[in-house]
Amino acid sequence: MPGTNPAEAMRVVAGELPDFPYLPELPDRGPGADLTGRTAALLVEIPVEVTPRGWRLAERPGRDLARATTMLSSDLDGMEEALDGFRGPLKIQLCGPWTLAATLELPRTLNVAIADPGAVADLTASLAEGAAAHAAEVAKRVPGARIVVQFDEPALAAVAGGEVPTASGLSRLRAVEAEVLRERLAQVIASTGKYTVVHSCSAAVPFGLIRAAGADAISFDLSQLRRGEENAVAESAEARLGLLTGVIPAVPAPDAGAARPAGPTGPGDGSAEARQAAERVIRLWRRLGLPLETCPEQAVITPACGLAGASPDQARAALTRCREAGSMLAELIEETGEEPR
């Protein structure tokens, strides 16, 4: 989410998504609020520090780690206050093991951790322990919630394809074997004992790998989905995985006009856009040959990617569109037996 006020961001999320809120990340606050730093604050017995290039494994805990820990604690306080008495699914987000290993530098070589299989193994074990503790803390603070843990893996496809650059930038690190990718991801997924989502908004989402690692759901940007990947999406749906489909633009197109956010309970000025988003998901279901009755229970409509680059009004409007579009799925399927036009 945009901005630097975690309490305000949490109030927006709780107001716009009363049935499925999430703990927002606010990277505008700087190091420690970003994806890598926020998750690194949860690592057990593996300290990190900030360098001019980003985050690096460190010999001992320092002020960078303390700052990240303090910000996360503040976020949890705001969540606890905003969701007092809440009952239902609540999503939290963490950096997945492979993106973490692709963004944390080793202390001496300047290469990222995936260059060292031993470092990856240690990071994975530490993240698994930290993720389990974090999920338990959230469950304690919001006792009526059913915790959903999302692991963000924007670098997973690059790690699998050998596209992560070396420290010099002149070559690429060797691709990690598929079985090792699966094992490490599965270790972290299994650690929390909660419903788990793996999110990747890249152009080559490894659906089969994520499914084999034991995720309960996959989150992806529908506009990035290639024709050759649709069979993998269908297989995931047939295996009863949830599909968090990113169809709402994080930032509206320049000619889309300034969307005014809707209120917390009724449709806003973007209802047409919400309907179009719902119809895109229904068309996907039809192309995949899936039973339409499974769509409302398996599909969650989300922004295409993170909202940190949007304005506060744009972010609020995007969440409103997600809620509206999701509520339309069952009705649109019921009212027409033909593909939406």
Side-chain angles (χ1 to χ4, degrees), residues 89-336:
L90 166 63
K91 185 167 74 71
I92 57 178
Q93 300 84 232
L94 296 173
C95 187
W98 290 109
T99 296
L100 193 65
T103 52
L104 275 176
E105 280 187 359
L106 296 168
R108 286 173 289 276
T109 69
L110 301 185
N111 273 325
V112 290
I114 59 168
D116 182 344
V120 172
D122 291 343
L123 269 177
T124 302
S126 179
L127 175 59
E129 187 175 349
H134 181 54
E137 173 68 13
V138 173
K140 180 180 177 181
R141 287 174 177 258
V142 190
R146 301 192 306 274
I147 307 301
V148 175
V149 184
Q150 175 174 305
F151 292 102
D152 288 319
E153 283 284 17
L156 181 58
V159 174
E163 296 298 326
V164 178
T166 59
S168 68
L170 299 177
S171 60
R172 299 289 184 268
L173 295 171
R174 181 181 302 176
V176 178
E177 293 180 1
E179 184 58 22
V180 177
L181 288 170
R182 186 200 63 78
E183 287 179 359
R184 300 295 182 222
L185 186 57
Q187 183 179 352
V188 174
I189 286 173
S191 67
T192 67
K194 308 296 185 184
Y195 190 96
T196 54
V197 181
V198 174
H199 168 71
S200 176
C201 55
S202 68
V205 179
F207 288 95
L209 170 67
I210 294 171
R211 187 174 69 251
D216 296 300
I218 301 175
S219 176
F220 62 99
D221 179 350
L222 185 56
S223 68
Q224 297 284 340
L225 186 66
R226 299 179 296 192
R227 284 285 180 179
E229 295 173 326
E230 290 193 346
N231 286 340
V233 178
E235 290 169 0
S236 298
E238 289 167 352
R240 306 301 297 163
L241 270 70
L243 296 179
L244 281 69
T245 50
V247 295
I248 303 295
V251 179
D255 59 351
R260 292 195 299 272
T265 57
D269 296 329
S271 293
E273 289 90 339
R275 182 186 178 99
Q276 290 168 4
E279 289 174 344
R280 286 185 64 195
V281 175
I282 293 171
R283 284 196 293 270
L284 171 67
W285 235 252
R286 290 184 185 278
R287 286 202 308 274
L288 299 180
L290 298 169
L292 285 182
E293 62 267 20
T294 66
C295 182
E297 65 187 40
Q298 276 186 272
V300 177
I301 293 178
T302 75
C305 205
L307 298 171
S311 70
D313 284 347
Q314 288 171 338
R316 183 191 291 266
L319 297 184
T320 304
R321 298 292 85 75
C322 290
R323 171 172 49 80
E324 292 177 343
S327 69
M328 292 178 184
L329 282 175
E331 182 180 351
L332 287 174
I333 291 171
E334 184 178 353
E335 75 180 25
T336 177

Side-chain angles (χ1 to χ4, degrees), residues 1-3 9-10 12-13 22 24-28 306-310 312 315-316 319:
M1 292 285 281
M10 189 68 242
V12 170
V13 169
Y22 61 90
E25 300 172 355
L26 277 68
D28 286 347
L307 298 171
R316 183 191 291 266
L319 297 184

